Amino acid sequence: MLKTRVALITGSTQGIGLAVARKLAAAGLRVIIHGIESVSDGERLAGEIGDKRFVGYIRADLSNSDEALELIERAEKLFGGVDILVNNAGIQHVAPIEEFTLAKWDKVLSINLTAPFLLMKACLGGMRARGWGRIINVASVHGLIGSANKSAYLAAKHGLVGLTKGVALEMATSGVTANCICPGFTDTPILEAQIKAKAAAVGGSYQEGVQELLREKQPNMTLLPPAQIAAAVEFLCGDDAAGITGIAMPIDGGWTAQ
Ligand code: NAD
């Protein structure tokens, strides 16, 4: 069944999104990767994942609401109706609230929360009409619990968890499910600044920075491989997951069990 589906994964030029794109392409879906890299770089990456009849690239800056609004239309022109939307693009900014600028707040909120809202709005009508759809929003443990110095990210991710519950209820009888995945620390470039700050604080290596970061929060003391997040996305896309909607699934090495 999945093989006939079209999936759009935002922020899929690296990290978790790229792992999801590779996993869904390997399962035979038509996959649209997306990011802010140049069209030539994005198309080269798409070509590495699969034939251009099955894998395409669209560049769109999701901090710009016009570009976000157009993304679904452009995706539909490429491969037809979007059946699976993975809202994965996200950025982080770490600062105490007294030093958190409005510009940074706006940027984090626009990419991590407003863009998923706009993209869901644009593709849910088509999913409802076709009687099948999957929304998978990559939130975070920070959509469930707090940490210091991440005010915008916490607001965006808690907002995304709430928004997803509402969408799940609105779509409950339509064949469309909407869920969040809430990863803990995962081995991707988004963590680099935090790891370097931890390493500098203890005067240690990058690897010691990783251990410091994990020691504070993640009991399994291991950065999660992006492929494990992708495996959960693939499961939620399948027909066996048709009854799962409105959940926020932690994949977090025990972080939220504490
Ligand atoms: P990453 O930095 O490796 O990837 C982020 C992706 O977002 C990139 O493909 C980038 O092109 C895209 N992006 C950034 N700014 C953009 C913009 N203005 N417009 C469009 N796309 C943009 O990070 P990642 O860890 O793979 O993050 C993926 C998602 O997982 C994010 O939503 C993040 O908040 C979430 N997450 C990550 C972790 C982690 O530890 N890595 C933990 C919890 C949640």
Side-chain angles (χ1 to χ4, degrees):
M1 267 305 275
L2 265 186
K3 281 195 180 2
T4 60
R5 308 297 186 189
V6 173
L8 167 64
I9 303 121
T10 68
S12 44
T13 50
Q14 61 181 42
I16 292 171
L18 179 57
V20 172
R22 288 192 197 283
K23 181 75 81 182
L24 297 186
L29 283 79
R30 276 171 296 160
V31 165
I32 299 163
I33 60 169
H34 154 269
I36 45 176
E37 289 68 19
S38 69
V39 171
S40 56
D41 283 352
E43 286 181 348
R44 193 173 316 119
L45 180 60
E48 281 168 26
I49 299 172
D51 187 279
K52 67 170 183 256
R53 287 169 303 151
F54 300 102
V55 185
Y57 173 72
I58 300 178
R59 185 194 182 285
D61 182 349
L62 295 181
S63 66
N64 176 324
S65 54
D66 291 334
E67 291 191 32
L69 276 168
E70 284 167 12
L71 178 54
I72 296 296
E73 210 178 297
R74 293 171 65 199
E76 288 180 348
K77 278 196 187 124
L78 196 60
F79 285 150
V82 172
D83 301 303
I84 296 165
L85 170 64
V86 184
N87 277 309
N88 167 78
I91 59 166
Q92 173 65 285
H93 181 69
V94 180
I97 190 158
E98 299 98 314
E99 292 159 25
F100 218 103
T101 66
L102 179 59
K104 285 285 186 200
W105 168 273
D106 282 343
K107 186 140 195 193
V108 172
L109 268 288
S110 66
I111 297 168
N112 295 22
L113 182 59
T114 307
F117 163 70
L118 294 172
L119 296 182
M120 286 192 284
K121 253 172 82 70
C123 71
L124 282 169
M127 290 179 181
R128 191 195 287 279
R130 291 187 294 277
W132 195 95
R134 295 285 185 269
I135 302 283
I136 295 155
N137 292 328
V138 181
S140 167
V141 285
H142 288 112
L144 303 171
I145 56 173
S147 285
N149 302 330
K150 296 184 175 172
S151 48
Y153 192 80
L154 284 167
K157 296 300 190 182
H158 275 71
L160 189 57
V161 169
L163 171 61
T164 308
K165 289 178 185 172
V167 170
L169 295 176
E170 290 183 41
M171 303 304 287
T173 58
S174 68
V176 179
T177 66
N179 293 294
C180 280
I181 290 180
C182 297
F185 287 134
T186 306
D187 194 4
T188 78
I190 207 173
L191 293 181
E192 253 171 48
Q194 292 178 69
I195 291 169
K196 283 180 182 160
K198 288 286 179 202
V202 295
S205 65
Y206 190 83
Q207 210 37 50
E208 283 162 325
V210 170
Q211 291 305 301
E212 279 301 303
L213 193 70
L214 291 167
R215 201 181 334 276
E216 202 184 323
K217 301 282 185 186
Q218 192 154 301
N220 74 345
M221 289 300 290
T222 307
L223 290 177
L224 298 158
Q228 290 184 5
I229 313 298
V233 172
E234 185 183 20
F235 173 71
L236 288 173
C237 288
D239 286 333
D240 285 344
I244 302 176
T245 196
I247 67 161
M249 181 201 289
I251 303 176
D252 65 0
W255 184 328
T256 53
Q258 296 168 103

